[in-house]
Amino acid sequence: MNFEAIAGQALSGISVGMVLFLIAAGLSIIFGTLKVLNLAHGSIYMLGGFLCYGFTATFATVPGAFWWTLVAAPVIVALVGGAIEIFLLRRIYAQDMLYQYILTFGLILIIGETCKFIWGSGIKPWEPPGPLTGMSPCGGYPYLFTICF
């Protein structure tokens, strides 16, 4: 195994690790700040990914659709998360943590099945935008940007 392959694997591992860190940090901040056990955090993150895919696929002919999607999808997901907090979670703050567990686990199922209903459960191919395609130099070695989740 040569150094280029090791460096490529290391960069791929770091990129996956950063995504997992974002999910874990969000879960920790929500639990530490609100004292709410939000198990649906990952499902809300998944909803953002599907929204990005859906907007990009729908507006594929619009120039810069991917970059507009990176602005629009997080705003929509923030509104969904705010609605969940206002209409569902505020009602159970004073309750036992078991109620929070049951509610947020139910949200996992609802959000997951809604995404399956809207976008299906198959593989969703898409064309990455120009800056994310091809080889990029990283430390003097070429690195192929791939998105594989």
Side-chain angles (χ1 to χ4, degrees), residues 17-32 41-42 45:
M18 288 191 304
V19 169
L20 293 176
F21 170 77
L22 285 174
I23 294 171
L27 184 62
S28 297
I29 289 171
I30 289 173
F31 184 70
H41 185 79
Y45 187 84

Side-chain angles (χ1 to χ4, degrees), residues 20-108:
L20 293 176
F21 170 77
L22 285 174
I23 294 171
L27 184 62
S28 297
I29 289 171
I30 289 173
F31 184 70
T33 306
L34 299 176
K35 301 291 187 238
V36 172
L37 180 65
N38 186 5
L39 299 178
H41 185 79
S43 293
I44 295 170
Y45 187 84
M46 174 193 67
L47 177 64
F50 273 116
L51 283 174
C52 282
Y53 167 76
F55 289 158
T56 304
T58 302
F59 302 112
T61 58
V62 176
F66 178 78
W67 304 111
W68 285 107
T69 295
L70 289 181
V71 173
V75 169
I76 293 170
V77 169
L79 292 173
V80 169
I84 289 171
E85 196 272 332
I86 290 170
F87 296 114
L88 298 176
L89 292 176
R90 282 189 185 173
R91 298 173 186 253
I92 60 168
Y93 280 155
Q95 302 293 325
D96 187 36
M97 190 154 310
L98 182 62
Y99 292 105
Q100 297 173 6
Y101 177 78
I102 293 170
L103 174 66
T104 56
F105 186 75
L107 286 172
I108 290 172

